[in-house]
Amino acid sequence: MNDHRHTKAIAYLRVSTDRQGKSGLGLEAQRDAVARYLASNGLELIAEHVEVETGKGSNALARRPELVAALAAAKKERAVLIVAKLDRLARNTRFLLTLIDSGADVAFADMPQVSGPMGRFIVTQMAAVAELEAGLISQRTKAALAAAKDRGQVLGKHGKVQAARNKAEAVERLEPVLPVLRELKGEGMTMRQMVTALNDREIASPAGGKWHLANLHKAMTRMSN
């Protein structure tokens, strides 16, 4: 968040599961965001670091070796470290402050770049809101599970049965469009290009509506399982 001018950049991408990392799902959208940032700021990408892990915990730097390496490389090369999305790093204000104070210049492709003390203030406020949102979601989830348990609902048993039923129905709805998805993927299309092609051909999604990145992501994940 410093005021330095850079010509070089290092990208940091993160996914939460090993499956996502191997399939590339989730990474493509981040790469698109980084590419747009590079183009609009006249930067040259010299390296990319991909992390596969979970963002939970406050002492997260120790569990993110690729982020540590990316920060070190950014400082050594006098490059800016670009992160596609602020929430890809952490919903933890203390961790984000540690990152900002690491000595490397950090930019987030999904927010206007503001330098200096004002930039630090804006980023930390956004992280604080994200941390609050995550805490509230967790609180609501625990309350809903407790209420279900009080009603005598056996969460583990019924949850697994319902999940298996939902998965089977989703696979059945997806079956008719699998050949088209394989064809488009084989042509080397990006996810966005596939969405456009599917909608241009008036091929309905498994839910019967238009295609978008979210439902295509789910479809591709099920296809790879």
Side-chain angles (χ1 to χ4, degrees):
M1 302 299 300
N2 296 329
D3 223 355
H4 303 153
R5 297 297 178 184
H6 297 279
T7 59
K8 299 182 291 186
I10 292 173
Y12 175 75
L13 314 177
R14 190 186 77 81
V15 289
S16 298
T17 66
D18 187 55
R19 179 181 296 174
Q20 281 183 311
K22 289 178 180 177
S23 69
L25 298 175
L27 292 176
E28 184 175 350
Q30 294 180 63
R31 288 192 175 108
D32 287 346
V34 170
R36 289 193 298 271
Y37 187 91
L38 291 170
S40 63
N41 289 275
L43 294 167
E44 175 193 1
L45 185 67
I46 61 172
E48 176 186 280
H49 293 261
V50 179
E51 198 93 73
V52 180
E53 51 85 60
T54 176
K56 295 181 179 179
S58 58
N59 188 23
L61 273 177
R63 296 184 295 103
R64 288 180 166 128
E66 288 300 321
L67 179 55
V68 173
L71 287 168
K75 287 187 282 188
K76 179 181 178 181
E77 298 293 336
R78 298 184 181 275
V80 59
L81 177 64
I82 303 176
V83 181
K85 286 179 67 63
L86 177 60
D87 64 5
R88 283 284 172 185
L89 271 183
R91 288 190 176 97
N92 185 289
T93 310
R94 285 183 299 170
F95 168 62
L96 195 60
L97 286 174
T98 300
L99 175 70
I100 294 171
D101 292 336
S102 66
D105 285 349
V106 182
F108 301 94
D110 63 339
M111 64 170 285
Q113 185 61 15
V114 183
S115 301
M118 182 59 71
R120 188 179 192 276
F121 172 77
I122 291 174
V123 169
T124 52
Q125 292 304 305
M126 291 177 67
V129 171
E131 185 177 3
L132 173 63
E133 180 186 16
L136 292 175
I137 290 172
S138 176
Q139 190 177 59
R140 288 195 296 268
T141 301
K142 289 177 181 178
L145 291 173
K149 187 175 181 179
D150 289 342
R151 292 194 301 269
Q153 184 175 345
V154 183
L155 299 175
K157 178 182 178 182
H158 294 291
K160 290 178 181 178
V161 170
Q162 187 61 44
R165 184 182 298 122
N166 291 343
K167 183 176 181 180
E169 291 175 355
V171 170
E172 184 178 348
R173 292 195 302 269
L174 180 63
E175 192 68 30
V177 299
L178 283 179
V180 181
L181 295 181
R182 293 192 180 100
E183 173 194 339
L184 298 179
K185 185 179 180 182
E187 292 176 4
M189 288 190 179
T190 66
M191 297 280 280
R192 291 183 186 279
Q193 289 171 334
M194 290 177 68
V195 168
T196 300
L198 289 164
N199 289 329
D200 285 348
R201 296 187 190 184
E202 297 184 349
I203 298 173
S205 71
K210 292 283 188 181
W211 287 91
H212 46 78
L213 286 175
N215 59 14
L216 180 59
H217 184 165
K218 290 181 181 178
M220 298 297 288
T221 300
R222 292 192 177 106
M223 187 175 75
S224 64
N225 288 342

